[in-house]
Every structure is written in structure tokens, then in C-alpha cells.
Amino acid sequence: MRHLFGISERRACRSLGFHRSTQRHRATRDDRDLADKLRTLAYERPRFGYRRLHILLRRQGEAVNHKRVYRVYWNEG
């Protein structure tokens, strides 16, 4: 919106009702490693869902949140 109308960040956020800090946040998370590990585990065990794959990842020593596993599993299809 800022670039479209040529207005400041402050004015654009105020008109849309957003906080300015939310517009500056950039995600730095890289889930390619986790996606590769999930893909190989899911290929070996096609009947397992994300919950059981999360348990297998924890047994391998991977410290990963179950919500993150679900998000990556869902995005991979």
C-alpha cells in the first residue's frame, strides 16, 4: 500500500489499523532441513502421520516443536 499510494509507513499502518512493528517483522526460519528429514521418514513409513513422525524425530535427537512439525508436514503435502 505504501508503494502503491506513495505514503509513509506510519500513515499506511494507521489507516489500516495495524501496529507498525508488525510490518517490520521478517521471518528468518529455514525449514528445509526439517522438511528433508520429514520427507525421508514419511517415505520409509507412509502410514505414519505427523504425530508419529514427530516422535521419531525426537528419538533421533532432533529438538523440534510438534506445531512446527505439523506446519512443515502440511506444507509438504
Side-chain angles (χ1 to χ4, degrees), residues 10-74:
R10 181 181 296 166
R11 183 169 286 179
C13 288
R14 183 180 299 158
S15 65
L16 294 174
F18 294 153
H19 290 281
R20 286 173 49 207
S21 62
T22 61
Q23 300 307 308
R24 294 190 192 112
H25 177 74
R26 297 285 179 234
T28 58
R29 185 177 304 139
D30 186 21
D31 291 330
R32 281 182 264 163
D33 264 353
L34 180 61
D36 291 339
K37 290 177 185 177
L38 274 175
R39 197 176 303 115
T40 57
L41 285 174
Y43 182 74
E44 293 169 2
R45 296 171 177 86
R47 293 179 60 105
F48 283 14
Y50 82 95
R51 292 175 192 257
R52 292 181 79 181
L53 292 176
H54 174 251
I55 292 170
L56 291 177
L57 285 171
R58 281 189 11 218
R59 287 182 185 165
Q60 290 179 356
E62 190 77 26
V64 63
N65 191 334
H66 72 278
K67 294 176 279 189
R68 184 175 173 201
V69 171
Y70 174 75
R71 181 174 38 83
V72 173
Y73 183 80
W74 188 83

